[in-house]
Amino acid sequence: MFLALLVSGIVVVLVLLGLFVFGLRRRLIQRSGGTFDCSLRWNVPEHESGGKGWVYGVARYNGDRVEWFRVFSYAPRPRHLLERSAIEVLERRTPQGEEELALLSDSLVLACRHRGTRLELAMSEDALTGFLAWLEAAPPGQRVNVA
């Protein structure tokens, strides 16, 4: 009986510790400001619109790039780095079909190309406005393609 209680206590402590670390990591990511909730679908084939492949994350502006972090990860480094000069916006659309279930309710989808890789970002309308403004605010002489 004592062993069962001890094991149960250890499991509860480990679960709480894991949740605490998730929260702490998100706070550290958001500490510098300029963050927004952003789902990502990487290396998407042309004209594919399904609910598969979306990963929920947090994006952070850092100079001339956006750092994208998975929410459900312990990694301290971003999973993807998107450089402003390499982002080409292809289209903007609302979620279609199964995507409505896979994404947050107020999300809009932005299809882009980054260094030859097609990707899609899903974010709120406010975050999308900020992202497009950030893209257009490139320093003089940099090529930015916003559709």
Side-chain angles (χ1 to χ4, degrees):
M1 182 65 143
F2 175 74
L3 184 60
L5 288 174
L6 179 64
V7 169
S8 298
I10 291 173
V11 168
V12 168
V13 167
L14 289 176
V15 168
L16 291 175
L17 182 64
L19 292 174
F20 174 77
V21 171
F22 272 134
L24 178 64
R25 178 180 170 267
R26 181 154 179 155
R27 286 283 182 207
L28 291 174
I29 291 170
Q30 292 177 327
R31 181 179 59 187
S32 63
T35 61
F36 57 97
D37 291 332
C38 178
S39 296
L40 173 76
R41 196 157 67 153
W42 190 262
N43 206 9
V44 182
E46 293 286 330
H47 307 294
E48 180 178 314
S49 61
K52 294 183 179 180
W54 286 105
V55 181
Y56 185 61
V58 175
R60 175 175 68 187
Y61 297 109
N62 187 3
D64 282 340
R65 63 184 182 184
V66 169
E67 301 170 333
W68 185 84
F69 299 83
R70 292 177 70 123
V71 166
F72 301 108
S73 172
Y74 292 111
R77 293 190 174 160
R79 176 79 173 200
H80 295 286
L81 297 173
L82 305 175
E83 296 172 11
R84 181 179 1 213
S85 62
I87 298 172
E88 176 186 355
V89 176
L90 304 174
E91 70 172 315
R92 179 189 332 187
R93 62 180 176 80
T94 57
Q96 301 167 352
E98 295 174 5
E99 285 182 325
E100 293 178 5
L101 301 173
L103 300 173
L104 296 174
S105 62
D106 65 341
S107 292
L108 295 173
V109 177
L110 189 67
C112 302
R113 188 172 317 281
H114 183 264
R115 300 198 183 282
T117 301
R118 190 172 190 282
L119 61 106
E120 292 180 338
L121 303 167
M123 59 191 88
S124 70
E125 188 171 351
D126 291 341
L128 178 62
T129 301
F131 183 78
L132 293 174
W134 174 79
L135 277 178
E136 292 175 356
Q142 282 191 356
R143 176 187 59 86
V144 176
N145 297 314
V146 179

